[in-house]
């Protein structure tokens, strides 16, 4: 039996502020645009994970899988850099963690 390669899961949580959003429709447009860009450029899973009922706040969870911890961390770091450079609102907070699955 061959030994399995390790699998690492990287998770970034991001808190966004959308000062220009006047409605949930405005917010959804801005958040959806960022989510789609991150998914297509970095092959990550992205969901809106918090503040769905507020029109000027959003919480995103971004996940990446890799066979090396540095690769998962690097993918998430690039995705977060892209969000900082392209998101029209403000990124209030972010947290990144990588765990190994057995």
């Amino acid at each position: 039996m061959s030994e399995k390669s390790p699998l690492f899961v990287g998770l970034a949580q991001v808190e966004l502020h959308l000062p220009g959003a006047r409605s949930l429709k405005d917010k959804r447009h801005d958040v959806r645009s960022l989510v789609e860009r991150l998914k297509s450029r970095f092959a990550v899973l992205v969901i809106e994970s918090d503040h769905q009922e507020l029109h000027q706040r959003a919480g995103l969870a971004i996940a990446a899988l890799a066979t090396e911890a540095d690769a998962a961390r690097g993918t998430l770091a690039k995705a977060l850099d892209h969000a900082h450079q392209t998101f029209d609102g403000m990124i209030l907070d972010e947290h990144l963690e990588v765990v190994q699955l057995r």
Side-chain angles (χ1 to χ4, degrees):
M1 182 181 268
S2 66
E3 189 174 315
K4 291 184 179 181
S5 297
L7 179 62
F8 295 89
V9 178
L11 177 64
Q13 294 176 299
V14 183
E15 290 288 323
L16 305 174
H17 177 57
L18 300 95
R22 300 290 176 233
S23 67
L24 287 174
K25 185 177 179 179
D26 288 346
K27 171 193 164 177
R28 280 192 289 274
H29 177 268
D30 293 343
V31 170
R32 186 178 303 124
S33 176
L34 176 61
V35 166
E36 292 305 318
R37 281 195 315 272
L38 293 174
K39 285 180 176 181
S40 67
R41 286 183 182 237
F42 302 102
V44 293
L45 171 68
V46 185
I47 62 167
E48 186 175 355
S49 59
D50 207 0
H51 308 300
Q52 287 91 343
E53 72 288 352
L54 301 176
H55 68 273
Q56 291 190 336
R57 291 285 304 270
L60 297 182
I62 307 167
L65 297 174
T67 56
E68 295 180 3
D70 286 343
R73 188 175 289 107
T75 297
L76 291 175
K78 289 176 188 174
L80 291 172
D81 286 347
H82 183 74
H84 279 281
Q85 294 170 1
T86 64
F87 183 61
D88 286 336
M90 297 174 9
I91 296 178
L92 301 175
D93 192 24
E94 61 187 57
H95 175 75
L96 191 150
E97 183 175 351
V98 177
V99 296
Q100 181 177 358
L101 300 179
R102 296 188 187 264

